[in-house]
Amino acid sequence: MKVLGLDSSGLVAGVALIQDDVLIAEYTTDYKKTHSQTLLPMLDELRRMVDLDLKSIDLIAVAAGPGSFTGLRIGSATAKGLGLALDIPLAAVPTVDALAYNLYGCEQLICPMMDARRQQVYTGLYGFSSIEQGTEFQVIEPQCATGVEEIIKKINERGQQVVYLGDGATAYETLIKEQTKVPYVFAPANCNRQSAAALAVLAKSYYERGEYVTAAEHRPDYLRLSQAERERMEKMQK
C-alpha cells in the first residue's frame, strides 16, 4: 500500500511517500518561503526522484488542522486536487496527533505545541502504551487551542515526566521552564517538528479502521476563528 503524506499546517512543509512499512522518500523544509512556493515543487521533486506514478498511490494523508489558516488551505487544496484527479481517498489526521506520533514508543507524557500567538498554543497530551500486539498510541487530552499556562497546569496535575515538542515549545520555552513542576525535556531537532512521514504512517492506521473520506468530502479543522474573523467580531461587539 502506498501512502502520500502532505503537511503544510505549520512553519514546516513536508511531503513523504511510504509503501507498506518502508519510508520511500521524505522532503521537509522549514524555511522563510510560503507553502504555495514549496509544497508542489517538493512533491514534484519527490515524484521524479523515485519515479513515482501518481496513479499507483492508494491513499493521500493530509494534516487536518489545526495550524496556519493559509497553510492548511494550501495542503487541503493540494490533497483534494490530487484526490479528485486520481480518484484517491483522503485520510485527514489531526495535526497535533501527527506531531506527537513523531515520538513513537516514548514512555513519557508527550505534549506537542504549535504556536497560535498571544500565549496560545494548539496542543494536547499523548502517550504510548504496551499492548499484546505491540504499542498503542493514546490520545490523553485531545488537541485543542488553549493558553500555555493552562496546558502546563494539566501536566503538573498529572505528575508525569513530559516531553515538549513543536514550534510552540520553542516560542514559550522560558514560560515552560518557569512553570513546569514535573521532570521535563525538549525533543531534539530530528523529531520536534511536523513530519509528513509520521503523518502518512498514522493515516495508514486510520485507513485500516475505515476512517477516510473522498477528496470532495474533506474539510480542514481550524479549531478557532482566523485573526481577521476575530478582529471583525471584536469590532462588532463594540
Side-chain angles (χ1 to χ4, degrees), residues 49-50 77 81 89 100 123 132 147 200 213 217 230 233 235:
M49 184 64 69
V50 299
T123 187
E132 187 175 340
V213 296
E217 292 171 327
R230 294 196 304 271
M233 290 183 66
K235 290 180 181 179

Side-chain angles (χ1 to χ4, degrees), residues 69 73 122 222 224-232:
F69 285 77
R73 291 187 183 108
Y122 299 121
Y222 299 112
R224 69 175 192 174
L225 298 174
S226 68
Q227 182 176 344
E229 290 171 318
R230 294 196 304 271
E231 291 176 351
R232 184 181 63 184

Side-chain angles (χ1 to χ4, degrees), residues 33-47:
K33 288 186 178 181
T34 65
H35 295 327
S36 60
Q37 294 175 289
T38 57
L39 194 63
L40 282 174
M42 289 164 62
L43 174 57
D44 187 52
E45 179 66 22
L46 181 147
R47 180 191 61 80

Side-chain angles (χ1 to χ4, degrees), residues 49 106 192 198:
M49 184 64 69
C106 177
N192 71 0

Side-chain angles (χ1 to χ4, degrees), residues 14-135:
V15 179
L17 178 70
I18 66 168
Q19 183 169 357
D20 298 323
D21 293 324
V22 178
L23 173 59
I24 303 298
E26 183 176 16
Y27 196 153
T28 302
T29 182
D30 184 354
Y31 192 66
K32 299 175 182 179
K33 288 186 178 181
T34 65
H35 295 327
S36 60
Q37 294 175 289
T38 57
L39 194 63
L40 282 174
M42 289 164 62
L43 174 57
D44 187 52
E45 179 66 22
L46 181 147
R47 180 191 61 80
R48 290 190 293 107
M49 184 64 69
V50 299
D51 299 320
L52 173 65
D53 179 0
L54 293 176
K55 294 180 180 178
S56 69
I57 297 170
D58 299 295
L59 178 70
I60 298 173
V62 61
S68 157
F69 285 77
T70 301
L72 287 173
R73 291 187 183 108
I74 291 169
S76 289
T78 302
K80 285 170 73 73
L82 286 171
L84 288 168
L86 301 169
D87 193 25
I88 299 171
L90 271 60
V93 179
T95 306
V96 182
D97 291 26
L99 183 53
Y101 203 76
N102 278 340
L103 302 183
Y104 182 87
C106 177
E107 295 181 353
Q108 290 76 32
L109 187 65
I110 301 169
C111 181
M113 290 183 175
M114 296 176 64
D115 188 9
R117 307 297 172 85
R118 300 182 180 182
Q119 289 203 332
Q120 296 272 312
V121 287
Y122 299 121
T123 187
L125 296 177
Y126 302 84
F128 289 89
S129 62
S130 297
I131 58 175
E132 187 175 340
Q133 294 80 13
T135 301

